[in-house]
Amino acid sequence: MKPDLPKMSFGSDILSDFDKAIRMEWLVTNGLGGYASSTALGVNTRKYHGLLIAAFNPPVDRRVLLTKLDEEIRIENKTYPIGSNEFKHGISPEGYRFLVDFSLNPLPTYRYVVHGVQLEKTIFMPHGKNATIVIYEVFNPHENSVSIRISPLVNSRHFHDVTNKGNLAWNFLQKPFKQGTTIQPSVPLSTLIISSNSGKFFAEEGKWIEETYFRVDASRGESCLDDCFQPGWFELYVAPKERNNFYVLAAAGKSENEAQSLFSSIQEGHAGIDALYSQELERRKSLLTRFQERYVDLEIEDWLKWFILATDSFLVNRNSTKKRSVIAGYPWFEDWGRDSLISLPGLTLITGRFEDAREILLTFKHYCHNGVIPNRFPDKIGDTPIYNTVDATLWFFNAVLQYLKYTGDFNFVQEELWNTLQSIIENHVQGTIYGIHMEDDGLIAHGPQLTWMDATANEQFVTPREGKAVEIQALWYNALKTMELLATCFKQKEEAGKYSSMAEKARKSFIEKFLNPNENFLFDVIHRDHADHSLRPNQVITVALDFSMLDKAMGEKVVEIVQRKLWGTYGLKTLPNNDPRYIGEYSGDWNHRGNAYHNGTVWAWLLGPFTTAFLKVKNYDESWRRFAFENFLQPLFREETFKAGLGTISEIFDGNPPHSPRGCIAQAWSVAEPLRAFVEDVKLKRPPCEQQVLGALS
């Protein structure tokens, strides 16, 4: 029996609490890096919100083209706006007051009631297309016709920017047709085609809706006023006692030909809009079915269904390689090397998407330069990545190892990755960019701001961690042991011996230098003769990895103190609250947030390695697995999934209770790592080839 799609619904009791409902956000993605997103009230609170944010160079170069659709219902001679926008002086109009229900089923659906007239709209994106479709259903119980007016608000700006019409070097041009219009800036930037299958489009010269206000961006000290162009409106009538169904389609392209081709393929396709909608629902059902078939005895509750569907939202096509990549977080992150490789097991391996896993590995292999995997692909500058990372490269080895544990596919690794892996090790031994090099003690030294703790404030590195960071050494050892394993399997005895010796040297140096003699935890960074005594969560990675340099006794001490000092309900704090640098709230402008980012803020992704490390030292005892679920994972799974980024998990949380969600509303590793730990460690659904792969070194 196929699992049903999950549903969450919020009635007027929740929606009437404005402050709560305005913080609930939804996200729909298209597999290209493009998306649609807004709040449960339909009021945009971020410059990143919109009904169509198109990725013109998937998965980057993202532009806000259709900001929203504002509806009005005219009954007899009175007009009732049901759309809402926020300005500095407040919400106008207050159409959200007619909203009686908002649901994800699993796609966002708003239901309004105005004097008995019911209007329902559902938003979806055809997978793999820069298009959004809004399906409407209107019921008119009255004796007279009612009219529905739908006014698009459009833009053509990069999603990091806002529009000030007074500063524009261009204006909008449109080519109306009976049931829609084509809209372009006079300077070619993009083309948007909007059409309805019912009623008529009335084009105006167009007017501007000026200075819409984004409250979240304002609270972050960012640009928060935006001007939108209103090109006209759609109008249609609903006869007495009639139920009318129609849709509005928005299709985008960087050029008019590209937009027209996409628009025509959707409009003139044999499938039709209803079939496209059904296909998207079936695609989502197939994700749940595949998961259920892999884990037949695992009960798939609604929270788990949401997590499985959320994994899909981060998997995107990269145009430059014609292969898959991973969006680190929505709305504003691009595909990052570190995030992609940490997330790979949870997004692709436990979900059985092995081809996607292969393509992600090949994407980052393609861009490996001087033995370094890219840190990220900036959204605005095309396909030239930035390489300021030391850990992304070492997570690449772990991702390869996890892939083997699930597939046993040594042929792929040998044919496609082995030479790259060898080159990476050699570059690290000889020394490469950003001061990354192996020192005489066999450990890896590196420059500042190269680990995942990479925030800046006041043009300074907040946690520079220059020298030898603890998790970098753990990942380096894990990489060397993985290379020893591969060389052994590939019958390269001399190479296997070399990697084995390097690993053992690194292990001995690590034990000698990183064990804090005065505390039961590890130093966070060793830099020349200085040891950083900061208690940070990075050390749990040394316990969680397959190849650990720590014995069980030391692993237990690390896990115990991290649990006792850094636990933060939805993840691990990045500093204990008794540290003088601790900042318990991630808020304010860039500098305040930068200082807080890794100095107290809770990170959900750390639940993955922490849960793995905890159960590893507890020998996966059944009672401890139950304890880990109830105390570590359950609050995230059963609470946060239904709060901020609906159906997904936020990037970070405040260090102080109640640990309010912050940052991105949907973060790849926040979903992937807790999900992986739940399946592999709590439910003990171990990778099928694990014993065979790891046994190669025994």
Side-chain angles (χ1 to χ4, degrees), residues 481-687:
K481 295 299 289 184
T482 299
M483 291 298 284
E484 179 191 352
L485 183 155
L486 292 173
T488 301
C489 291
F490 300 155
K491 310 247 184 294
Q492 298 186 21
K493 187 175 180 181
E494 187 175 329
E495 289 289 285
K498 178 181 77 173
Y499 295 127
S500 177
S501 297
M502 291 172 65
E504 182 58 19
K505 184 175 184 179
R507 187 191 70 80
K508 287 181 177 177
S509 295
F510 182 85
I511 297 301
E512 176 187 335
K513 297 183 177 184
F514 275 85
L515 296 187
N516 187 332
N518 301 315
E519 303 281 355
N520 288 323
F521 60 86
L522 304 175
F523 294 125
D524 189 57
V525 182
I526 302 290
H527 186 37
R528 300 191 179 97
D529 296 326
H530 172 72
D532 183 351
H533 292 245
S534 302
L535 174 57
R536 295 192 180 274
N538 303 304
Q539 58 194 296
V540 298
I541 293 170
T542 68
V543 186
L545 293 169
D546 284 298
F547 298 111
S548 174
M549 295 181 282
L550 301 182
D551 60 26
K552 184 180 178 184
M554 190 60 211
E556 287 176 334
K557 291 176 181 178
V558 166
V559 168
E560 189 277 331
I561 198 165
V562 166
Q563 180 186 358
R564 182 159 48 87
K565 296 283 191 176
L566 298 178
W567 181 247
T569 304
Y570 303 118
L572 297 183
K573 297 178 185 180
T574 38
L575 269 182
N577 54 14
N578 63 349
D579 190 298
R581 296 164 295 173
Y582 175 83
I583 301 174
E585 186 174 306
Y586 180 85
S587 61
D589 63 15
W590 173 271
N591 290 326
H592 187 275
R593 287 182 284 117
N595 278 312
Y597 207 38
H598 299 111
N599 284 327
T601 297
V602 170
W603 289 76
W605 82 268
L606 292 169
L607 275 177
F610 174 73
T611 302
T612 297
F614 178 88
L615 291 176
K616 192 174 180 182
V617 301
K618 300 293 187 184
N619 297 317
Y620 301 99
D621 179 83
E622 183 179 356
S623 62
W624 284 118
R625 287 190 284 118
R626 187 165 56 249
F627 175 91
F629 176 73
E630 293 173 356
N631 292 276
F632 303 156
L633 298 175
Q634 186 168 253
L636 190 79
F637 290 160
R638 291 185 171 157
E639 295 174 19
E640 278 304 317
T641 312
F642 306 93
K643 281 187 179 178
L646 300 175
T648 186
I649 298 296
S650 299
E651 177 190 4
I652 50 178
F653 301 83
D654 283 344
N656 290 344
H659 306 298
S660 298
R662 305 287 187 178
C664 275
I665 63 166
Q667 197 77 2
W669 59 10
S670 295
V671 170
E673 269 299 279
L675 178 60
R676 178 203 58 76
F678 170 73
V679 173
E680 290 184 350
D681 302 314
V682 172
K683 290 301 181 180
L684 218 56
K685 306 296 183 185
R686 303 301 300 177

Side-chain angles (χ1 to χ4, degrees), residues 232-246:
W233 67 89
F234 296 96
E235 191 158 18
L236 58 120
Y237 291 86
V238 183
K241 309 294 183 182
E242 183 176 274
R243 189 176 299 274
N244 196 349
N245 294 278
F246 59 97

Side-chain angles (χ1 to χ4, degrees), residues 344-359:
L344 183 145
L347 298 184
T348 65
L349 299 181
I350 68 162
T351 56
R353 301 177 72 154
F354 303 135
E355 180 57 32
D356 288 337
R358 285 189 286 273
E359 290 194 6

